[in-house]
Amino acid sequence: MKRIIVAVVCLMGFSFVGFAQGSAPRVPRKPVKNILTDAEKETRFVHNLMKKMTLTEKIGQLSQYVGGELLTGPKSGAVSDSLFVRGMIGSILNVGGVEQLRKLQQKNIQSSRLKIPVLFGFDVIHGYKTIFPTPLAESCSWDLGLMYETAKAAAIEASASGIHWTFAPMVDIARDPRWGRIVEGAGEDTYLACKIAEARVRGFQWNLGKPNAVYACAKHFVAYGAPQAGRDYAPVDLSLATLAEIYLPPFKACIDAGVKTFMSAFNSVNGVPATGNRWLLTELLRKKWKFKGFVVSDWNAVQELKAHGVAETDEDAALLAFDAGVDMNMTDGLYNRCLEKAVREGRVEMKEIDASVERILRAKYALGLFDDPYRFLNIERERHEVRSDSITRLARKAAASSMVLLKNSHALLPLSKQTKRIALIGPLANNCAEVLGSWKARGEEKDVVTVLEGLKNKLGRATEVNYVRGCDFLEPSTQEFSAAFDAAKQSDVIIAVVGEKALMSGESRSRAVLRLPGEQGALLDTLRKAGKPLVVVLMNGRPLCLEKTDQQADALLEAWFPGTQCGNAVADILFGDAMPSGKLTTSFPLTEGQIPNYYNYKRSGRPGDMPRSSTVRHIDVPNRNLYPFGYGLSYTAFSYGEMRCPKQFDDDGMLTVSVDVTNTGRYDGEEIVQLYVADKVASMVRPVKELKGFQKVFIPKGQTKRVDFTLNVHDLGFWDNNMRYIVEPGAFEIMVGSNSEDVQKKEAIWVQAASNTRHAQPKVKRPKQR
Ligand code: BGC
């Protein structure tokens, strides 16, 4: 509408000139400011403001500090006063709560010359006050709508508490479960991760510009999830083809979803630290992908360029990061300390500083902070919009939807609500601290429903729930075993809740041994001896090696870290009020020595499944995973009809595949139908299969649903080591099934018009999109 008005006004302007030259009376022109678009107003405001800013103030906008340190820590008092007075704080991180944030904003507004509002960032990773299941857990729901909703709810709570910006989603692909931060991502598959990245960005930013949404941040750019040996922060060496095919797409998906900020990673990629990588942050992100928002470094990552050995001094480090394309410097203060001198000496161009400052001021403007710096600081909203009933219900649903049923011998689950005596055992059975997971933001233990409470809520007094902890996570003591055994002996069923402590996964929490920690395995052996049905509920941040646990348990439920509504959701699943419908988004290896053992591995000359010994395999352990990618059971059963798949892609490169899925079991339920594709012969070695589609469908018992997938051949290409995207004609294997190992296959050929030979020159397609 506005554009039309502008056009009309311009035409009128011309005719006024004509009139003015003749004898007609002069009609006054409307002042230009009335017809500015919002974008023009923003530009004008920001440019005017920048004209008033000193170099110190500009660099200040590029600097982010830890809130706690400014309030009470080492940077409090005179240091913080002076930073505020000189306008040297552009953003503050990791303080939440209207009261505290108001103090900081007030100090800034009252003491700084230009009163430029501070932007408040916080790690709102899987909830803020209401804690949802961890991102890895949630990814197992394969429910994009749900993930949108939980991100939106987290944004509503965080913004009601004064936060403008979350450092999420983490969209790093993780193919190595030793890496602790696997808990924070969407698992090992790029296709699924792209969809989830998009849903979460849209969720956080659902109402951008209004004080109930927050900026999202795509992190950690890039390949942070592929460190050597799974050790957090370790260097990453990858072919460019793998970088382009596996690790970059989720970041591009975030841009396509409108993400406003990026975070550069700690690690080096092929010898160049991401935070000092101009090719990555400027050539690719800005120039090729046309990212318009701003880039923040990770915590101290600018200073760490010295430890990487690519910068000798603080000044070198600051210059390297800034020149690479890092707009905002998180926590180490190096930009404030070094950039001004560098500009004055001509080592940094003023126009580059201005470009970064402009990006950050625009972000503040778009949130309305220049109209009202306290816009997100509303104590009433904080009181009413945090932990609302609807968000609590969502947390319960999200937790149940994220759980994956791994084993259910003799249909032990769901348990009957008439069960008389339950032995509830394990260090996570009545635990409210650990079940929140590794990033609990401002979630509080007092709000957590433990499994013990959840069972009591569900069953009331008619069922006796006898709780014994049994053992700790790490202490090598078996003292409580006999009490646990007694309780088990007297029960009708044993529910053992075991796993990791929250901080055994997450940042800098890599593990080399992925068994159940401490004496928990021995505890399960003891419980087994009681001769009662044993349900094992696992809570953990990463895939564990569960071969032994799988043998010990009659039923095995992967509950991950379920968050605030832990106990209610576990009870919902165990007693059948919610149907298990999750499927794994990360493979569970048999043993650590197999790692990495992701499902979409590349073909080899001597495939491991050939019937001879000199093949790609270990001599002591099979290649298979214990639970493959995409695996998960239900209380009901689904059977797949024969897949319908044309023999050829149509002239537009499209192929529609369909399959009938029947619910043959005793309950209504949801099935996640998966579509995989493999390029049979290509000019580069291709994976044995790749996920290219999925649908989560609800099928009432006894009914059949037809599930359709449409494939576009242009999405079946690959990247070469020059980072060109290639689609080649030829045959593709099309697979449909219930998990990555359980699929039926057909073949379809794509004959490219005007070149139907397989060895035709690779055709480069759609390079601009990536
Ligand atoms: C993490 C980031 C996080 C930042 C701010 C870093 O240590 O790697 O993911 O956003 O801290 O808390």
Side-chain angles (χ1 to χ4, degrees):
M1 191 62 198
K2 269 184 190 133
R3 269 201 209 116
I4 295 170
I5 294 171
V6 173
V8 172
V9 170
C10 290
L11 287 174
M12 285 163 61
F14 280 117
S15 49
F16 287 158
V17 174
F19 272 124
Q21 282 164 354
S23 54
R26 202 186 164 101
V27 181
R29 246 197 236 197
K30 272 194 176 176
V32 178
K33 70 175 181 219
N34 289 344
I35 55 160
L36 288 182
T37 63
D38 289 348
E40 287 164 341
K41 279 187 200 154
E42 176 180 313
T43 303
R44 202 165 68 160
F45 177 89
V46 167
H47 287 175
N48 280 344
L49 176 58
M50 284 173 65
K51 282 189 204 135
K52 297 182 203 145
M53 292 168 78
T54 63
L55 181 54
T56 311
E57 285 162 342
K58 285 182 176 174
I59 293 169
Q61 286 304 304
L62 313 183
S63 302
Q64 186 186 52
Y65 289 91
V66 185
E69 291 184 7
L70 296 173
L71 282 164
T72 50
K75 288 204 173 64
S76 61
V79 181
S80 113
D81 288 351
S82 128
L83 285 171
F84 278 121
V85 169
R86 289 182 291 154
M88 293 176 86
I89 303 181
S91 174
I92 291 177
L93 82 155
N94 289 358
V95 169
V98 167
E99 211 183 305
Q100 300 282 63
L101 293 180
R102 185 174 282 277
K103 267 190 211 155
L104 287 165
Q105 193 69 284
Q106 246 163 11
K107 196 160 175 184
N108 169 53
I109 297 294
Q110 285 164 6
S111 47
S112 64
R113 187 178 72 94
L114 292 172
K115 312 195 181 312
I116 300 173
V118 160
L119 194 68
F120 294 125
F122 201 102
D123 286 293
V124 182
I125 308 296
H126 50 108
Y128 178 70
K129 274 282 189 183
T130 306
I131 303 301
F132 299 105
T134 62
L136 180 63
E138 245 187 25
S139 71
C140 293
S141 72
W142 299 57
D143 186 338
L144 302 175
L146 179 78
M147 289 179 256
Y148 169 89
E149 287 301 332
T150 57
K152 174 178 163 185
I156 290 174
E157 284 198 345
S159 59
S161 185
I163 308 297
H164 306 131
W165 173 26
T166 176
F167 306 121
M170 185 191 98
V171 297
D172 299 306
I173 296 296
R175 298 171 136 191
D176 186 335
R178 293 171 297 183
W179 186 56
R181 288 195 94 165
I182 191 172
V183 64
E184 208 179 322
E188 70 190 32
D189 181 69
T190 302
Y191 175 85
L192 178 60
C194 287
K195 305 274 174 208
I196 293 177
E198 194 184 319
R200 299 196 73 215
V201 167
R202 291 195 200 283
F204 287 127
Q205 298 191 162
W206 71 287
N207 203 16
L208 224 45
K210 295 283 179 308
N212 54 7
V214 295
Y215 285 139
C217 179
K219 74 184 189 186
H220 309 81
F221 198 48
V222 65
Y224 180 47
Q228 278 167 15
R231 293 190 188 103
D232 208 2
Y233 319 122
V236 173
D237 275 288
L238 290 170
S239 72
L240 288 184
T242 300
L243 185 66
E245 183 162 311
I246 305 296
Y247 293 93
L248 288 175
F251 289 94
K252 179 64 170 53
C254 288
I255 295 187
D256 295 342
V259 76
K260 296 295 179 192
T261 74
F262 257 61
M263 187 185 289
S264 65
F266 284 126
N267 53 285
S268 61
V269 188
N270 297 342
V272 185
T275 296
N277 194 328
R278 188 169 165 87
W279 170 78
L280 191 65
L281 301 177
T282 297
E283 300 305 322
L284 181 67
L285 181 61
R286 289 250 174 251
K287 295 195 183 156
K288 202 160 181 178
W289 287 356
K290 313 245 175 294
F291 174 61
K292 298 276 182 288
F294 70 87
V295 177
V296 63
S297 71
D298 204 342
W299 187 288
N300 277 5
V302 175
Q303 192 166 50
E304 287 169 15
L305 292 172
K306 291 193 296 177
H308 276 287
V310 296
E312 208 173 331
T313 61
D314 281 354
E315 188 174 326
D316 292 347
L319 255 63
L320 194 58
F322 185 74
D323 182 56
V326 174
D327 299 298
M328 185 181 278
N329 170 205
M330 187 189 275
T331 64
D332 57 41
L334 252 56
Y335 279 12
N336 264 342
R337 288 221 299 281
C338 308
L339 285 189
E340 188 163 343
K341 179 163 163 271
V343 175
R344 298 204 189 287
E345 288 171 358
R347 298 175 70 196
V348 170
E349 283 191 56
M350 195 56 218
K351 73 171 195 305
E352 296 298 332
I353 299 277
D354 281 344
S356 291
V357 172
E358 181 167 341
R359 289 180 193 121
I360 289 158
L361 294 179
R362 281 182 183 278
K364 295 181 177 184
Y365 183 96
L367 290 185
L369 296 179
F370 286 105
D371 291 335
D372 176 8
Y374 305 103
R375 193 168 177 233
F376 284 58
L377 299 171
N378 178 334
I379 205 87
E380 282 307 305
R381 270 194 68 207
E382 185 173 44
R383 240 172 243 148
H384 296 117
E385 290 177 26
V386 169
R387 283 182 311 228
S388 66
D389 289 348
S390 64
I391 292 184
T392 304
R393 277 196 301 277
L394 179 66
R396 183 168 179 165
K397 178 177 169 207
S401 303
S402 304
M403 294 179 191
V404 184
L405 183 64
L406 299 175
K407 179 178 180 183
N408 194 17
S409 294
H410 311 296
L412 171 60
L413 296 177
L415 299 172
S416 158
K417 288 182 192 157
Q418 269 68 55
T419 307
K420 286 275 166 278
R421 287 176 310 264
I422 294 175
L424 178 66
I425 317 287
L428 286 149
N430 192 26
N431 192 312
C432 42
E434 307 299 337
V435 303
L436 290 174
S438 66
W439 282 108
K440 58 181 181 185
R442 297 186 69 224
E444 291 179 66
E445 294 176 22
K446 71 169 175 47
D447 296 327
V448 171
V449 181
T450 69
V451 176
L452 177 60
E453 288 161 354
L455 294 187
K456 289 187 170 161
N457 293 345
K458 173 85 51 200
L459 303 168
R461 295 234 184 103
T463 306
E464 187 187 313
V465 182
N466 198 353
Y467 161 70
V468 180
R469 187 181 74 147
C471 65
D472 178 56
F473 295 94
L474 289 172
E475 268 171 35
S477 160
T478 56
Q479 255 182 13
E480 297 161 54
F481 276 25
S482 64
F485 179 78
D486 291 346
K489 199 81 197 145
Q490 286 152 29
S491 69
D492 302 317
V493 63
I494 312 163
I495 300 174
V497 193
V498 293
E500 294 182 301
K501 272 170 93 71
L503 289 184
M504 285 179 178
S505 60
E507 186 175 348
S508 73
R509 299 297 197 279
S510 297
R511 288 180 72 200
V513 178
L514 302 185
R515 312 295 154 101
L516 277 180
E519 298 297 335
Q520 296 179 92
L523 175 66
L524 295 182
D525 275 337
T526 304
L527 297 177
R528 189 79 249 161
K529 289 189 193 127
K532 299 295 167 80
L534 175 60
V535 178
V536 176
V537 177
L538 289 160
M539 293 184 185
N540 41 301
R542 59 153 66 72
L544 296 174
C545 298
L546 295 170
E547 215 179 355
K548 182 154 184 239
T549 318
D550 179 88
Q551 288 157 10
Q552 292 163 320
D554 295 300
L556 191 54
L557 178 71
E558 176 55 82
W560 304 108
F561 291 122
T564 312
Q565 281 294 304
C566 166
N568 287 336
V570 168
D572 286 346
I573 291 281
L574 293 184
F575 291 89
D577 287 337
M579 281 284 126
S581 64
K583 298 210 182 198
L584 298 177
T585 57
T586 169
S587 305
F588 275 48
L590 290 165
T591 185
E592 295 87 348
Q594 297 177 302
I595 295 170
N597 212 25
Y598 44 87
Y599 85 95
N600 50 349
Y601 61 91
K602 281 192 183 143
R603 293 202 176 93
S604 64
R606 294 183 167 194
D609 51 9
M610 285 170 72
R612 60 178 206 204
S613 56
S614 304
T615 58
V616 178
R617 65 188 194 114
H618 299 110
I619 57 170
D620 48 356
V621 179
N623 284 353
R624 69 178 172 86
N625 282 300
L626 177 61
Y627 307 119
F629 175 84
Y631 171 81
L633 303 172
S634 169
Y635 296 153
T636 194
F638 298 99
S639 83
Y640 282 64
E642 194 187 329
M643 162 184 25
R644 289 178 289 272
C645 174
K647 292 206 160 34
Q648 200 166 318
F649 287 75
D650 71 14
D651 289 349
D652 295 327
M654 307 300 281
L655 184 83
T656 300
V657 178
S658 66
V659 66
D660 291 335
V661 183
T662 305
N663 182 342
T664 55
R666 295 196 294 137
Y667 306 93
D668 298 346
E670 283 176 298
E671 167 69 338
I672 300 165
V673 183
Q674 298 156 46
L675 173 79
Y676 297 88
V677 173
D679 190 342
K680 288 193 77 173
V681 181
S683 55
M684 281 179 75
V685 175
R686 301 300 303 137
V688 291
K689 59 178 72 115
E690 298 170 275
L691 185 76
K692 289 292 176 184
F694 65 89
Q695 282 184 44
K696 188 165 187 174
V697 284
F698 172 77
I699 312 180
K701 69 176 169 201
Q703 290 195 19
T704 298
K705 258 205 185 145
R706 176 189 160 126
V707 179
D708 293 315
F709 295 102
T710 302
L711 280 169
N712 181 340
V713 78
H714 299 304
D715 297 329
L716 307 185
F718 54 89
W719 295 84
D720 69 8
N721 278 313
N722 295 314
M723 295 188 76
R724 289 182 315 165
Y725 187 67
I726 299 167
V727 186
E728 291 174 350
F732 292 88
E733 229 165 31
I734 313 294
M735 293 162 258
V736 166
S738 66
N739 68 60
S740 61
E741 291 294 309
D742 176 21
V743 289
Q744 47 175 313
K745 299 182 187 173
K746 294 237 162 137
E747 201 173 293
I749 296 190
W750 179 48
V751 184
Q752 193 186 16
S755 131
N756 59 4
T757 59
R758 161 153 302 285
H759 301 292
Q761 269 299 93
K763 180 144 171 113
V764 181
K765 291 269 179 187
R766 302 182 154 186
K768 283 195 210 113
Q769 290 208 354
R770 306 276 162 162

